[in-house]
Amino acid sequence: MLDLLLLRSFVAVIDEGSFTRAANRLHLTQPAISGHLRRLEAQVGKPLLRRTTRAFEVTPDGECLAAYARAILALNRDAMTQLSRSTYQGNIRLGVAEDCVNASLMRALREFVEDNPQVELGVRVGIPGDMVVAMRRGDVDMVLGAQCGSHEPGRLLWHEPLVWAWAERCPVRLPSPLPLALFPEACPYREAALTQLALAGIPQRMAMLCTSGASLRAAVEGGFALAPMPASQLGPGLVTLSEEHGLPPLPEAEFMLMINPSGDQAVLAALADRIAEHLCPTPIAEPV
């Protein structure tokens, strides 16, 4: 009999294209994922992946098993859904910080809605501070976003450094006053950056007020401004500047799920579990 755990790891490796990313997705270690694949290959008696130094290819037998694995996992999920289908109902209003909106989150929300058809889920994207205020007003039931040094109660998903992002091809010597690209007030990254610069006595100016992650990234990639950014979101074309470049250290960004205590705690906890299952930090770039 095929083990669901092994099949789930196998499908995750194919979907993510990486043993490391599959391990992060399933909250396991890379050796555990590799062990699952070896056990599955031993069960079926055939190689499922053809490994190279940097990647892997799915063998014809692996392609065949992957199709069955997806069907088996879907049937297992459907069976569990049918047994608990009537548990949750009502409306959920989820507030999400823009930098947390990604394909993994959307998959988690889609699966939750599919598994709980009597729940109507609406998503509102904005700045974390504004989302928390909306939650206190009762306009939002749950908030997914980052904190930097504040102590709003919630469920910690992960934490990572907040860094100074700069264009990779631009000179490291920075102008004075320091040109900044920032989100509007109530953004935790903005507050942390301005506080640390003030404490260090470093003059700064608002070079660009951004309303989206795309505009903030464009300002930094073009060398127009410096911006505080979670390390995992640097991406190609951006580098981290540090104290060696005369900049003060920034606090860590803590990515949290915050739940309105007046909401339906059972359904909100179920949604929080589904989000936590899918979200994980991406590899963090090293400072230059």
Side-chain angles (χ1 to χ4, degrees):
M1 180 180 295
L2 295 172
D3 189 321
L4 289 177
L5 176 63
L6 306 186
L7 293 178
R8 188 173 290 111
S9 294
F10 177 49
V11 170
V13 168
I14 295 176
D15 287 347
E16 299 293 336
S18 160
F19 279 70
T20 299
R21 289 194 293 272
N24 288 334
R25 170 174 157 181
L26 299 178
H27 302 283
L28 298 170
T29 64
Q30 183 175 335
I33 294 291
S34 298
H36 290 173
L37 266 292
R38 286 194 298 270
R39 286 168 56 191
L40 187 58
E41 288 178 329
Q43 280 189 2
V44 300
K46 295 180 179 180
L48 303 174
L49 300 178
R50 187 177 297 112
R51 297 166 179 80
T52 65
T53 54
R54 293 189 176 182
F56 62 82
E57 295 178 355
V58 184
T59 66
D61 290 320
E63 294 282 4
C64 178
L65 180 60
Y68 282 111
R70 294 184 193 280
I72 292 169
L73 292 171
L75 285 171
N76 179 71
R77 186 169 61 250
D78 290 347
M80 296 302 296
T81 299
Q82 290 296 331
L83 293 174
S84 59
R85 182 174 290 276
S86 61
T87 335
Y88 305 127
Q89 57 184 345
N91 298 326
I92 299 179
R93 299 156 300 176
L94 175 64
V96 183
E98 186 186 20
D99 56 349
C100 292
V101 178
N102 55 41
S104 294
L105 175 64
M106 293 299 105
R107 281 195 295 268
L109 301 184
R110 185 203 71 215
E111 289 181 7
F112 183 82
V113 171
E114 289 175 350
D115 292 348
N116 300 277
Q118 296 184 59
V119 173
E120 184 176 323
L121 175 62
V123 180
R124 174 176 169 182
V125 179
I127 296 172
D130 290 342
M131 295 293 100
V132 171
V133 171
M135 184 177 69
R136 290 172 181 164
R137 288 199 308 260
D139 298 336
V140 172
D141 299 304
M142 181 187 297
V143 174
L144 169 61
Q147 297 184 155
C148 295
S150 58
H151 299 286
E152 191 72 29
R155 177 174 177 176
L156 177 63
L157 298 180
W158 78 90
H159 57 86
E160 60 180 273
L162 188 67
V163 300
W164 297 105
W166 184 242
E168 185 175 28
R169 296 184 179 180
C170 286
V172 172
R173 177 176 290 180
L174 300 173
S176 180
L178 201 65
L180 298 179
L182 299 171
F183 289 121
E185 290 184 7
C187 171
Y189 310 150
R190 171 192 175 119
E191 182 178 346
L194 293 180
T195 298
Q196 293 305 111
L197 289 174
L199 290 174
I202 299 175
Q204 54 79 24
R205 65 181 181 87
M206 175 72 73
M208 185 167 174
L209 183 63
C210 303
T211 57
S212 70
S215 61
L216 184 106
R217 179 172 292 277
V220 179
E221 285 183 352
F224 181 70
L226 189 75
M229 189 179 295
S232 65
Q233 296 176 17
L234 286 178
L238 301 183
V239 294
T240 297
L241 300 186
S242 64
E243 295 175 77
E244 297 177 2
H245 307 100
L247 293 171
L250 293 170
E252 286 206 323
E254 296 183 330
F255 288 84
M256 310 281 295
L257 275 172
M258 293 156 276
I259 296 177
N260 190 334
S262 64
D264 185 332
Q265 297 302 295
V267 66
L268 293 177
L271 176 58
D273 288 342
R274 184 64 61 91
I275 292 173
E277 179 183 337
H278 281 72
L279 290 191
C280 59
T282 53
I284 295 175
E286 293 294 330
V288 298

